């Protein structure tokens, strides 16, 4: 009862009957009963929804319902009808404003097609973005302006193609589409050409980056850069990255070459500077020696200066030899200058060793001993004499000139010269020399004639001046002697000084005492100074003995060092390493400095010996370094020849490695020259290895290309499904193409590709084999009418009627094997075999066919299966027959077996047809 009341008093638009709700919706007032209409818009029945939607005429509310999720297809149709002006009578401006806010492509497309105003349609078209919708508008819209506007917004090549084909109603659209399509294709062609040009430039630039430097390398790189920059289109990201990487590699090659050239120039400059420095050193030494020859006499200071200059020059020469070896001419000049220096130095040492005997001989007037001593000095010819040697020579000349029975005029002139010399000595204040010369002149004056009074008087005056100089020296020397006595006594009492400082100070005081000579000499001061000096010597006796032992030990070490180096120099190793010799030289120099001092009387001799040895050792080092430099130049020539050799890059790289090993085994050339040679050799090796890397990259690139070609071939064969057995040639060509791509680079991808290729080829060959078998089965089915004729002939023969031969129909074309089987069947009817033998033969052929089809075989046919397999093994000893050949053999056997009764054939034919159907069934592609 309550449900009935509820139905009686509820509104009709809520009635359970859809027809009632539809009628109610048509009568509802849109203004006062809008909510009921909005509810009915979502009704389950389409008619009710359509009736309710037709009553709503506010498009904004309809849009709001769609946003709230209360929309429906009927509501959309009503909204479209309102917007296109078919219903509602809404003004155009409002409708156009609503259309401009829509996002539904289907609704916009309907409005663009059915709108009652061009502006409305254009507004809807402006909101469309789908190219397919634009194409439909360009083809189907009824307003030309809308079609043209839609056609202008189609930009893709595929869209323009569709537009040119489908827009038949508007020639303008078709023409414009074709023109734009032509321009698009032209632009695409231009872009493709530009892309291809960029690819060509990139390939050239990458190949140029892998090449070694040559004189035109930088020019070609700049040319490629200009060509790249001239292209109007912009490269993609991949091309730009490749270009930047190749450009960086090219710039690195150019920078490396420029750095190498800069280093070579610096090396050349260093070598030239070294040659100039050597030239300056040799010239300085030669000028010093020449200046020594041009002077009036050679003093201790001159020789000490020359000795220091020679030592500095030798050290500088050695340092320059580490950079670059001198040429032969400069070395000969250097050796000649050293030889001249050694001659002067040795002559001076001989003079120093004979200085005391010379003084004693002059004092004693022993002319014979003086001559012998002067001769033993072996003073170089043309070299100004030492003052001591000059005095000895002068004494000999004077004795010679003034000796004789009758003095001559020349002797008087000579005596006057000696008087002048005596006066010059007095003017200089040289007391000792003047005193000796005065004594000698007094001795010679007794031999002068009486007519030499002027000389006698002058000698007396000079003697008076000598006495005055003696008195003056005594006046000056008296306080000095007292001061020296006090100083040596203070030294004796000073306990703060070390033995070394005490000895040095004592020697200095003794030297100053001796320098005073006999000036103001008295016994008391002499004994006082001598006694104090003796006491100091006695206190230093133990220290001096220790120093003497140390000097003797140092001398022994220096002599042993010289002997070792001399033994090395006498028998140098043919392959002596200059670095080892340099180490020996440096260690010897360091040991020489450590073993100082040595006894004074041996110091000069051992020093000359070590200097000569060191010079010979340096010459050996230079000679070995020169030999190594020459050998390395030969290695460089071999490397240069290897760069241009017509050999595989890998073989050239292996030979370059052997040359590098030989380079390391040779040792080190002079320091500066070693760097220059190494840079040149390394550049050649870099070229060889760069060529190897380039060839390796090319080989890898070709391998990758072969991989890509193999992958494309695999994909092509994988997508190919043969439809006939005659397509086997196409598969053979693909296999030959795959074989031509071998060898492929090793790797997991290659192994996977090989496995996939083998599987695809195997599957395609199996399919081709099944196709050939199916074709054989199909041809066999064409022979079926001939078999039926044979069966009828067999029935006649078995029934005792006339046995006639069956003729091959003219429309039937049989292969030779089936023709032979046909002849055998005709012959079998003339001489029929027993029925059991024919049945066994048919059963054997059936089992054989089942084996070919892979069907299961019953237990009763197991002996036949074994026999057939044995026969197949025996027949396949030479070469296994294909399934097609076996099937043809079995079918020929079926055709040749007879005569067969119809009942017997019908027992076998169903199973035979089933087996043939299984054989002819193709695998799924």
């Amino acid at each position: 009862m309550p449900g009935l009341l509820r139905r009686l008093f509820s509104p009709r638009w809520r009635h359970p009957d859809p027809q009632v709700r539809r009628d109610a919706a048509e009568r509802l007032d849109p203004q006062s009963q809008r909510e009921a209409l909005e509810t009915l818009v979502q009704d389950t029945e389409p008619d009710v929804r359509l009736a309710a939607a037709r009553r709503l005429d506010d498009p904004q509310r309809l849009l709001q319902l769609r946003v709230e999720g209360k929309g429906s297809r009927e509501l959309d149709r009503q909204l479209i009808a309102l917007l296109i002006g078919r219903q509602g009578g809404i003004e155009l401006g409002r409708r156009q404003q609503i259309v401009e806010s829509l996002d539904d492509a289907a609704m916009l497309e309907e409005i663009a097609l059915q709108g009652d105003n061009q502006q409305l349609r254009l507004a809807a078209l402006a909101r469309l973005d789908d190219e397919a919708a634009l194409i439909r508008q360009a083809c189907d819209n009824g307003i030309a302006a809308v079609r043209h506007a839609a056609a202008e917004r189609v930009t893709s090549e595929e869209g323009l193609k569709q537009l040119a084909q489908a827009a038949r109603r508007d020639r303008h659209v078709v023409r414009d589409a074709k023109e734009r399509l032509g321009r698009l294709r032209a632009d695409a062609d231009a872009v493709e050409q530009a892309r291809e040009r960029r690819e060509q430039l990139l390939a050239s630039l990458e190949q140029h980056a892998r090449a070694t430097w040559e004189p035109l390398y930088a020019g070609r790189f700049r040319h490629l850069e200009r060509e790249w920059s001239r292209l109007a289109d912009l490269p993609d990201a991949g091309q730009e990255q490749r270009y930047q990487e190749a450009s960086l590699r090219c710039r690195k090659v150019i920078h490396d070459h420029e750095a190498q050239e800069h280093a070579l120039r610096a090396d050349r400059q260093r070598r030239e500077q070294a040659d100039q420095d050597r030239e300056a050193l040799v010239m300085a030494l030669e000028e010093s020696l020449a200046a020594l020859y041009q002077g009036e006499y050679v003093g201790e200071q001159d020789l000490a200066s020359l000795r220091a200059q020679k030592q500095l020059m030798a050290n500088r020469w050695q340092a320059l030899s580490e950079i670059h070896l001198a040429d032969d001419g400069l070395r000969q000049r250097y050796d000649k200058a050293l030889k001249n220096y050694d001659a002067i130095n040795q002559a001076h040492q001989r003079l120093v060793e004979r200085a005391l005997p010379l003084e004693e001989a002059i004092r004693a007037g022993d002319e014979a001993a003086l001559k012998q001593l002067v001769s033993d000095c072996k003073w170089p010819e043309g070299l100004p004499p030492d003052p001591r040697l000059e005095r000895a020579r002068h004494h000999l000349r004077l004795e010679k000139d003034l000796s004789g029975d009758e003095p001559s005029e020349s002797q008087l002139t000579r005596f006057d010269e000696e008087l002048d010399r005596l006066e010059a000595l007095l003017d200089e204040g040289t007391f000792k020399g003047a005193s000796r010369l005065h004594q000698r002149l007094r001795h010679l004056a007794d031999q002068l004639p009486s007519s030499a009074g002027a000389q006698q008087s002058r000698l007396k005056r000079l003697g008076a001046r000598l006495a005055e100089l003696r008195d003056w020296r005594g006046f000056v020397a008296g306080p000095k002697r007292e001061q020296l006595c006090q100083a040596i006594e203070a030294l004796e009492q000073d306990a703060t000084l070390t033995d070394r400082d005490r000895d040095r100070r004592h020697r200095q005081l003794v030297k100053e005492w001796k320098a005073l000579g006999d000036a103001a000499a008295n016994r008391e001061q002499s004994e006082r100074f001598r006694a104090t000096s003796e006491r100091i010597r006695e206190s230093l006796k133990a220290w001096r003995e220790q120093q003497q032992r140390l000097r003797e030990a140092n001398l022994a070490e220096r002599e042993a060092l010289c002997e070792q180096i001399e033994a090395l120099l006498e028998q140098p190793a043919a392959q002596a390493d200059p670095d080892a010799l340099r180490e020996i030289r440096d260690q010897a120099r360091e040991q020489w400095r450590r073993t100082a001092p040595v006894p004074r009387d041996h110091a000069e001799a051992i020093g000359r010996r070590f200097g000569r040895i060191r010079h010979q050792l340096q010459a050996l080092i230079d000679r070995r370094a020169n030999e190594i430099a020459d050998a390395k130049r030969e290695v460089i020539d071999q490397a240069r020849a290897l760069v241009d050799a017509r050999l595989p890059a890998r073989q050239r790289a292996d030979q370059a490695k052997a040359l590098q090993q030989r380079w390391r085994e040779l040792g080190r050339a002079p320091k500066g020259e070693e760097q220059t040679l190494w840079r040149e050799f390394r550049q050649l090796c870099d070229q060889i290895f760069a060529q190897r890397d380039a060839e390796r990259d090319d080989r890898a690139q070709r391998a990758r290309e072969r991989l890509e070609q193999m992958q494309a071939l695999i994909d092509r064969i994988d997508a190919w499904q043969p439809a006939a057995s005659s397509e086997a040639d196409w598969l053979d060509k693909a296999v030959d193409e795959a074989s031509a791509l071998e060898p492929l680079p090793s790797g997991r991808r290659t192994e996977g590709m090989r496995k996939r290729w083998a599987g695809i080829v195997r599957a395609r060959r199996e399919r081709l084999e099944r196709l050939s078998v199916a074709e054989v089965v199909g041809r066999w089915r064409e022979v079926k009418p001939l078999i039926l004729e044979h069966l009828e002939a067999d029935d006649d023969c078995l029934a005792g009627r006339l046995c006639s031969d069956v003729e091959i129909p003219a429309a039937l074309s049989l292969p030779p094997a089936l023709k032979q089987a046909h002849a055998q069947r005709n012959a079998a009817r003339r001489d029929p075999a027993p029925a059991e033998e024919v049945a066994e033969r048919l059963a054997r052929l059936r089992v054989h066919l089942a084996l070919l089809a892979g069907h299961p075989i019953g237990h009763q046919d197991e002996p036949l299966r074994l026999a057939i397999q044995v026969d197949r093994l025996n027949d396949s000893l030479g070469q296994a027959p294909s399934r097609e050949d076996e099937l043809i053999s079995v079918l020929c056997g079926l055709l040749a077996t007879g005569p067969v009764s119809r009942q017997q054939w019908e027992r076998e034919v169903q199973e035979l047809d089933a087996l043939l159907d299984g054989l002819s069934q193709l695998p799924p592609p």
Side-chain angles (χ1 to χ4, degrees), residues 790-811:
H790 278 293
L791 288 175
E792 293 178 357
D794 290 345
D795 289 340
D796 292 340
C797 184
L798 292 176
R801 293 189 291 272
L802 180 63
C803 294
S804 59
D805 293 338
V806 177
E807 297 295 334
I808 299 176

Side-chain angles (χ1 to χ4, degrees), residues 780-799:
W780 170 258
R781 286 172 177 161
E782 294 177 358
V783 185
K784 191 171 183 180
L786 181 61
I787 295 175
L788 294 178
E789 293 183 8
H790 278 293
L791 288 175
E792 293 178 357
D794 290 345
D795 289 340
D796 292 340
C797 184
L798 292 176

Side-chain angles (χ1 to χ4, degrees), residues 39-58:
T39 304
L40 292 176
V41 166
Q42 302 178 37
D43 197 273
T44 56
E45 292 296 327
D47 294 340
V48 178
R49 293 197 300 269
L50 179 60
R54 288 177 177 175
R55 299 292 295 166
L56 296 174
D57 56 359
D58 186 2

Side-chain angles (χ1 to χ4, degrees), residues 98 102 150 255 287 318 334 372 375 494 496 505 509 549 569 605 609 653 670 706 734 781 790 819 878:
I98 295 172
L102 287 178
H255 179 269
E287 290 175 357
Q318 179 180 338
Y334 176 65
Q372 184 63 38
S375 177
D494 191 355
T496 61
R505 178 61 177 163
L509 294 175
R549 290 193 297 270
L569 293 174
R609 181 182 178 186
R706 290 199 303 272
R781 286 172 177 161
H790 278 293
K819 287 182 179 179

